[in-house]
Amino acid sequence: MIIFKNQNDWVAAMKKAATYKTAYRAVYPYNLLFYGADGTLYADCVNFQKALFNGRNVYAMQANTYQNTLNNTGDVNEIQLLNQCDNVSADFRLLKANEPRILWMDGHIGAFIGEEVKLNGYIYNCIEWTAWAGDFGHAGCIYSYVDGAGNRLSHKGGVQAGRWLKHGLPSRYVNYVAEPKWVQKWHLYQGDTMLKGWQKVNGKWYYLEKTTGIMLTGWVKDGDKWYYLSSNGDMLTGWQKINNKWYYLTPQNDGVHLTGEMWTGWLKDKGKWYYLDLKNGDMYTGTHTIDGKTYTFDSSGALIS
């Protein structure tokens, strides 16, 4: 049963745990988490992941209460949880960015969180719930690293140095969504699917023609609104000089104008008034008659009188 709609949500849940007050505890009865009176969340390595994969909200527990971690996963130990994963492998060169995986060694389990991949040095950032980062029953959820030989290096001075032996994708609980990738610089694919229309990639908006999927540049009309896309295809916003004329492209959706939309008519920006042609959107300078009245704008477009 899918619990996390994408891999980033699973990583976010683990990272959140690493910011909380946590501690290792082999909670009895087994397959339970315990939330202490002092706000400490107690678990062991496998029960922490089982709680997440069973959809438990480990951050909404009351003090001095237990939470059962079973449902989807069943009563499994760390190797049995690994065996529920897909693409189980002992080759750690297969780890890659934005593809978090379960990590396993004999008697212990953790999770590679898809960050800080250095393929030449084989350094992989991971999160684990461990008792061996200072004193027994204390460490809880921490970050650690894996070196080129597969050895885990703890932030707590290298204690409990061990070796991860295998890793796998928990795809029955996490919906792995492929990162969009550009093909030949003008098509965008997500997995095997060619994307079309407006697409946000790395914080920037692009427009892919609705039939062919080709990335467009320059002026684009979508509905009754105009937008301008750079030579790289990303949507421009704010004041832009295009073919020696100034245009104002809405920086952020204001409830009337959409982000990137070409502005027309009166505009107040930083305390000054400007006027953008109702048809073409270019900024007025000099003297113009608007709605039967004469107005004068300076060379910067600001209203004088």
Side-chain angles (χ1 to χ4, degrees):
M1 177 181 179
I2 294 293
I3 296 299
F4 297 101
K5 64 181 180 181
N6 57 59
Q7 58 268 42
N8 295 330
D9 286 354
W10 178 37
V11 170
M14 291 188 287
K15 282 185 173 182
K16 186 175 181 180
T19 67
Y20 275 58
K21 185 177 182 181
T22 60
Y24 176 91
R25 179 175 178 177
V27 181
Y28 181 82
Y30 296 112
N31 299 310
L32 292 177
L33 301 180
F34 177 66
Y35 197 68
D38 64 347
T40 300
L41 178 63
Y42 294 89
D44 66 9
C45 59
V46 68
N47 278 343
F48 171 61
Q49 289 297 343
K50 286 195 293 185
L52 296 180
F53 292 156
N54 283 293
R56 304 303 189 223
N57 186 344
V58 299
Y59 316 107
M61 296 172 61
Q62 300 297 316
N64 289 319
T65 60
Y66 292 88
Q67 188 177 100
N68 193 304
T69 63
L70 295 183
N71 187 11
N72 301 322
T73 60
D75 187 6
V76 296
N77 59 24
E78 59 276 0
I79 186 60
Q80 291 169 329
L81 185 60
L82 175 74
N83 289 337
Q84 291 185 359
C85 294
D86 295 324
N87 301 332
V88 174
S89 173
D91 186 353
F92 282 77
R93 293 172 296 182
L94 298 178
L95 297 183
K96 56 186 178 181
N98 203 43
E99 191 176 84
R101 291 171 173 248
I102 286 291
L103 298 177
W104 172 85
M105 69 174 68
D106 188 23
H108 190 47
I109 205 163
F112 162 61
I113 59 175
E115 296 177 354
E116 298 187 24
V117 178
K118 299 180 183 179
L119 292 180
N120 293 329
Y122 302 109
I123 299 175
Y124 310 108
N125 201 350
C126 65
I127 286 179
E128 57 181 314
W129 203 289
T130 179
W132 299 98
D135 57 340
F136 191 85
H138 169 71
C141 194
I142 63 169
Y143 287 96
S144 61
Y145 292 85
V146 178
D147 67 12
N151 298 308
R152 184 176 74 254
L153 305 177
S154 169
H155 276 202
K156 301 293 185 179
V159 290
Q160 198 192 6
R163 181 176 178 179
W164 296 115
L165 299 178
K166 294 182 180 181
H167 57 84
L169 293 171
S171 351
R172 67 172 66 183
Y173 309 117
V174 181
N175 180 34
Y176 280 81
V177 179
E179 284 289 286
K181 61 180 180 179
W182 291 104
V183 176
Q184 296 182 334
K185 296 184 180 180
W186 53 79
H187 289 91
L188 184 65
Y189 281 81
Q190 190 161 39
D192 295 327
T193 303
M194 184 172 68
L195 303 180
K196 300 176 183 179
W198 287 108
Q199 301 293 333
K200 194 173 188 179
V201 182
N202 296 328
K204 296 181 179 181
W205 283 101
Y206 299 81
Y207 189 81
L208 310 172
E209 207 278 326
K210 292 182 178 179
T211 302
T212 64
I214 293 176
M215 183 191 78
L216 301 183
T217 61
W219 287 108
V220 170
K221 188 176 184 180
D222 184 27
D224 61 349
K225 303 181 187 303
W226 284 95
Y227 303 84
Y228 193 84
L229 311 174
S230 77
S231 59
N232 294 321
D234 55 305
M235 182 181 72
L236 300 183
T237 60
W239 286 106
Q240 299 292 335
K241 192 175 186 179
I242 303 167
N243 295 328
N244 292 318
K245 295 183 178 181
W246 283 99
Y247 299 85
Y248 189 78
L249 308 173
T250 309
Q252 189 173 0
N253 190 330
D254 61 6
V256 177
H257 302 87
L258 300 177
T259 301
E261 176 188 343
M262 183 187 76
W263 196 290
T264 61
W266 287 105
L267 166 70
K268 189 176 185 179
D269 183 41
K270 298 179 181 177
K272 297 181 179 181
W273 283 98
Y274 302 82
Y275 193 84
L276 295 308
D277 187 83
L278 291 178
K279 181 178 179 181
N280 300 318
D282 53 304
M283 181 188 74
Y284 279 7
T285 59
T287 301
H288 294 267
T289 300
I290 302 169
D291 296 330
K293 296 183 179 180
T294 301
Y295 298 88
T296 301
F297 303 86
D298 66 18
S299 59
S300 72
L303 176 67
I304 299 174
S305 61

